[in-house]
Amino acid sequence: MGYDKQFVLKIIDREKKRLDNLTVFGGFDRFMREWLLNQNRDGESEKLASSLGYYQDLGKKEKVELLEKIEKLIQADNSLFTPPAKPAQKESPPKVRLDTPVRFVKGVGPVLEKKLNRLNLRTVEDLIFFFPRTYQDRGPVKPISQLRGKEIETIKGVVSFQKRIPTRRGNLLKIGVKDATGLVYLVCFNRPYLAKALPPGLKVTVTGSFRFRRGQWETGNFEFFPMAGEGDSHDSQVERIVPIYSLTQGVTQKKLRSLISEALEEGIPQIKEVLPPDIRDKYQLLNKKEAIWELHYPSFSPVTQLLSRRSRAHWTLIFEEFLLFALSLKMRKRKFKDFQVKPCVTHSNLVDKLLAGLPFQLTSAQERVYQEISRDLESGLVMNRLVQGDVGSGKTLVALMSSLKVIDSGHQVAFMVPTEILAEQHYQRFKDQLTALGVRVGLLVGGKNKQKADLLVQIERGEIDLVIGTHALLEEKVVFPRLGLVVVDEQHRFGVIQRAKLKDKALVPHTLVMTATPIPRTLALTLYGDLDVSIVDEKPAGRKPVTTLCFSQSERFKAYNRVRKRIEEGQQAFVVCPAIEENEEELSNVTEIFQLLKEKWLSDFQVEIIHGKLPPREKEDIMSRFARREIEVLVATSVIEVGIDVPNANVMVIENAERFGLAQLHQLRGRIGRGDKEGSCLLLANAKTEEAKKRMEIMLKSNDGFEIAEADLRLRGPGEFYGVRQHGIPEFHLADPFEDWPILEKAHQEAELLLGQDPFLHKKEYQVLKQEIERRFGKYLELGEVS
């Protein structure tokens, strides 16, 4: 329990205001006693720890006196977990280490440092692990006479002459390079400095896009490499395969390669081998230093493997990252088992009353998942559970029941959702129902006003039981005196750090994260190894199915005739487009479709537009008007994908459906058919490829999100399936949990075997591995400490 003294003083101050032993989840007395005993000190701290054993039996005056004694001891003793002061940083270049700032790398000044920071390059280590995004195969060196002008080609020769040709825009520099078979002109627009860099007589290798024009070969897009001497081998693979890095404005490939080379020379000797030898042998992995060097300077990897990220060097580093990640999650899960908390009530009257007032029965899946959550809450151990459920499966009701069980046990609940629209909808839906049960509900969103300020005071006083909110819940001024459960809806919309910040509002609260994004179970168990996984795999009885139809672009009028008919029957419609601005000729954009609908196809109805570039308040206003039926047709981008619940909206047109991922299409389709009428999802697709046709067939055939996930996983792999990256996954140097899913599974299996033998990596041979886990993923895996 390495909490620093400022944190502990904050806890004591909070307890002095309440004196109810609920300041810390699991009991203030237990927390404070363990903290004092962990100081490994004799005398006063041990005596005070002993006094805390009967804290609950003390009167208010005696409690205050005891707290003041503890406070005085902590303030007087500077050795109690006081972090050492950081030495003043000298601006003179230190000896280059992995954590040395990039400004001390040769060739980096203040201006370039800022540009490198934009690429998240802040240290020598960042440069070393900034791997190429792709590779360019320059091809074998060939005689000039064998140039074909069809792809990147490489020649070598001697600079024979330079000439400047006057043009209206100034002098054009042309440099002739010849070999025994012919002559090539290097056409240098706005690059007069090349006259010095390529003097006559210099031997060079030139790589570029060549073209035959007016009877001669020339290139304006080229790279050149001076040849040091006759003995040079310029047909080696080292020079043939060139790394291509991601760039930012003001940083060139040449400059970045130079800086990475400098970082490698200085820093790579300090790279530690993390993986135990038996694991490296088992999977035929390279030495870590060799793998890093090979990715920056390929010398033996086939270019096809480099481009597909399946070279041995890729495999080595990706596997290591995944193994560290998997081990950290599993060790975190084991650690949570050590935290004992006060069990929640076994029978909740609030849950009984809620269920008695519902006009329907729970599905068997909802009952099963609620029982799994209840067992966690009653166990006396900290719950960390992921609940997956298809759109419309009733996850939110399960989360509400779980919240009431925790509230019935004397604690508060924070319910975080990704959008203000969804927060408002949950609040309006829950408020009357829960108020009737005696539960106090609050809505917390962004902005500043008196109403929000009053709510913050009520939350801090413990006068609000359930707080529904957006990122605003993460603000420092939001203080929960007895937070017992954190619910995170649509968890993939929040980063790991954001979720950790919310958990920081209490000492190890229960956590329930939910997602409607279908994740195949094996992938979920691997990615969320620190969470127990529950699946709500059944939809409520009576829920009308959504009929999905597919039309070609030439049949668009048929789709909109169906929309017209639905609107005339009193229903509302969504029209979803894949982009705000036109990227290609055939790409329908949201503004263009909006104008066509408003002025031509559906001109006699109320049509409105919403997209991600609108201000938040304007989006809220539009959605509120749509919910009140003041708008009949809403033209939108995928901003409506999550959290829109308008029961009267039962028809949706998705323009250019082939441009959406299947998961996204399924999420969009889930926005309709939520009332008592059958929904219709009309896909307008330009499905020319076999893959596009198969994907549309999957949508027509199935309404089951998990079935769709499995089918798309087989069809295109997880990287394509997700389309937009899940923000909850930590950043890796090289690994991609979706693109590299097969390697992730292998690492997951190896982590299970490793921890089966040594659950907390105590063995000597695993100490470097353990240290690297903490260094790489420690910030993602904190146990909820308040800072």
Side-chain angles (χ1 to χ4, degrees), residues 544-561:
K544 301 283 186 182
V546 175
T547 301
T548 305
L549 301 171
C550 189
F551 298 88
S552 67
Q553 292 291 347
S554 62
E555 297 174 312
R556 183 184 273 171
F557 69 96
K558 290 184 182 178
Y560 283 106
N561 279 342

Side-chain angles (χ1 to χ4, degrees), residues 208-265:
S209 302
F210 295 90
R211 64 174 180 170
F212 195 70
R213 189 166 178 248
R214 295 174 184 172
Q216 60 191 28
W217 284 104
E218 64 176 39
T219 176
N221 179 20
F222 63 90
E223 286 185 279
F224 68 91
F225 308 90
M227 295 162 62
E230 290 296 331
D232 274 5
S233 173
H234 286 267
D235 200 14
S236 68
Q237 193 180 24
V238 177
E239 292 188 352
R240 175 174 171 173
I241 300 176
V242 183
I244 306 295
Y245 299 92
S246 297
L247 299 176
T248 188
Q249 189 173 8
V251 180
T252 63
Q253 290 288 344
K254 190 172 182 179
K255 185 63 180 175
L256 194 51
R257 286 175 196 151
S258 171
L259 295 176
I260 289 171
S261 175
E262 189 78 24
L264 286 168
E265 291 289 344

